[in-house]
Amino acid sequence: MRYYQCDKYPIEFVLSENIDKHFGSHNHVGHYVISVVMQGTVTVCLENREAACCRGDVFIIPPYAIHSVCQGKDARLLSMCIGTAFIEETDRETAEAIAQDLLRDAATQGIFGWEQREKLLTSVRTVYFLRDNGRKEMDAGIKILADKMISHPEQELPIETLAADIFVSKYYLIRKFKSSIGMTPHQFCIQNRIRKSQGMLDEEKTISRIAAEMGFYDQSHFDKAFQRIVGISPSEYVHSKKRIAQGT
């Protein structure tokens, strides 16, 4: 897997190839993800609907949408991850212009081909349609807890404390949280710890220090969780990241 990050905007490309991996049920709370199959077949289950996507097919994962992805070793998948805040704060015309410039630069540098560039660019407009028409209503109490766990995933938040915050029993909270978010509070917390740690790996901290700061038992525990969620180890992730040199 290779990661290409944009310096100016919260946009990242992920090229996934030469892996035989099943990414279990998860979501992306901070990104819209546009994926295009470059080779082979990728099986996607989105909100309990499964589809086999072949070369040229595009699928879009909105924030909080629970999904799983199964990719064989012969498949190649290109994903464009766009920050949720960017989509919320930027009008469609401006976002399309930014994406057009970035996609041109990425294609010119050989990160992907012009065919993928056109499919990704066309899909940016669909993202705005989903933003305006596909919002998923969430229980106010669950939203408060989810926001807290996203902002401070490293904090120890016992289920009893979370339940008390919104005046429900812990059993009711677990059921309600899973029906709203698609996973248990514990699973959601671990996922967000890993997402935050991905950003921390840019800060030249050691992996063992990040593991400790993010509340994992030890580096081995952190490595296993990172591998399960991201698909590669923390050290592989660091070495796989590159910056997109923009000409604009």
Side-chain angles (χ1 to χ4, degrees), residues 145-157:
L145 297 183
D147 288 346
K148 180 186 291 188
M149 297 165 77
I150 292 167
S151 300
H152 304 288
E154 69 280 3
Q155 292 183 358
E156 287 295 333
L157 297 170

Side-chain angles (χ1 to χ4, degrees), residues 91-104 121 124:
D91 64 81
R92 180 174 60 80
E93 290 77 10
T94 301
E96 287 182 340
I98 290 170
Q100 186 171 33
D101 290 339
L102 180 60
L103 288 165
R104 181 200 62 221
L121 184 58
V124 171

